[in-house]
Amino acid sequence: MSIRNLLHPDKSRFDQILRKGYYYEDRFLNEILTNSRMEDLGWMKEGVFRDAVERFKYGVNHEFGLISRTCALEVWLRHHGY
């Protein structure tokens, strides 16, 4: 996938819009991925989430539903003090 496709996604596909958002919110994502609460709690192997998001951002992984729910759980855990 070219950088042009990342910055100007095909608006007919929802995963392209999410991919663009992940690309632009790289700092926030890096914080979640670097300090994963799920990894700290032993719910996920170290690096699995980070690798999946990196593959998704560059068009290799198409599991945006799973990645989005995992991001939401990370934010929820942080909000509730975990």
Side-chain angles (χ1 to χ4, degrees):
M1 175 170 284
S2 71
I3 193 74
R4 176 164 169 54
N5 289 343
L6 289 172
L7 298 176
H8 303 287
D10 175 5
K11 292 182 176 76
S12 66
R13 295 185 53 206
F14 190 66
D15 63 325
Q16 295 295 325
I17 295 167
L18 282 174
R19 191 170 279 122
K20 181 179 178 182
Y22 285 164
Y23 182 80
Y24 280 121
E25 293 296 332
D26 196 46
R27 258 194 309 193
F28 176 68
L29 273 175
N30 281 335
E31 169 60 28
I32 289 176
L33 299 173
T34 303
N35 301 308
S36 172
R37 300 301 195 262
M38 288 185 288
E39 287 178 6
D40 293 345
L41 293 167
W43 296 352
M44 184 180 297
K45 289 183 182 178
E46 186 174 336
V48 171
F49 184 40
R50 180 177 50 249
D51 293 344
V53 170
E54 288 300 314
R55 287 191 311 271
F56 177 76
K57 285 191 322 189
Y58 296 104
V60 179
N61 181 343
H62 302 290
E63 296 294 334
F64 64 89
L66 293 173
I67 292 170
S68 296
R69 288 190 297 267
T70 305
C71 283
L73 180 56
E74 281 287 343
V75 171
W76 185 89
L77 288 169
R78 290 161 194 267
H79 177 73
H80 290 283
Y82 290 98

